[in-house]
Amino acid sequence: NAAQILWGISQEFVMTHVAQGAETLVYFSLFLVLCNRSFTCMFTGIILRTRGQTLFFQGFEGASWPALSNVVASWSQYSCLGYVSFTLQTTGKSAKLVPVFLISALRGKSYGIQDYAEVCVLSIALIVFGFETINHDSEH
């Protein structure tokens, strides 16, 4: 999804560039998580209201634990950007697809030819992404 890619790039930019008038990088990644979640809640609320649906639905409370888990995961992800590059983080998260796919195939799960093709294309894209990043980093 192009919106998610742009969102990730903008988050990396915020975490790796000094803001105008500031002397240091933004190290308070929890603020970034707060901004993301606040915007998402407001946007979702607007969409629900324009469709005439209620904001709180049956089972709403049951979604709080996965939501809290997601906040902690996001906070951890943004905090990591202070130590590793966005490229390394993205590659690491995307590369987990290969062992998960292989292990589940070894355990007997059957996949179609399209699934194998998608894993191959993603693996090749990760390799190209890694080499391009290495070449770009060595030039600067």
Side-chain angles (χ1 to χ4, degrees), residues 79-92:
S79 295
C80 286
L81 286 175
Y83 304 101
V84 297
S85 70
F86 176 75
T87 306
L88 177 62
Q89 191 178 58
T90 302
T91 304

Side-chain angles (χ1 to χ4, degrees), residues 33-53:
V33 174
L34 175 68
C35 290
N36 286 344
R37 297 303 178 260
S38 298
F39 177 78
T40 302
C41 288
M42 287 187 297
F43 185 73
T44 304
I46 291 169
I47 290 175
L48 289 173
R49 285 293 181 192
T50 57
R51 291 183 175 181
Q53 298 175 344

Side-chain angles (χ1 to χ4, degrees), residues 15 27 29 32 48 55 65 106 129:
M15 294 300 290
Y27 288 112
S29 57
L32 189 58
L48 289 173
L55 293 177
W65 290 112
L106 290 173
F129 185 61

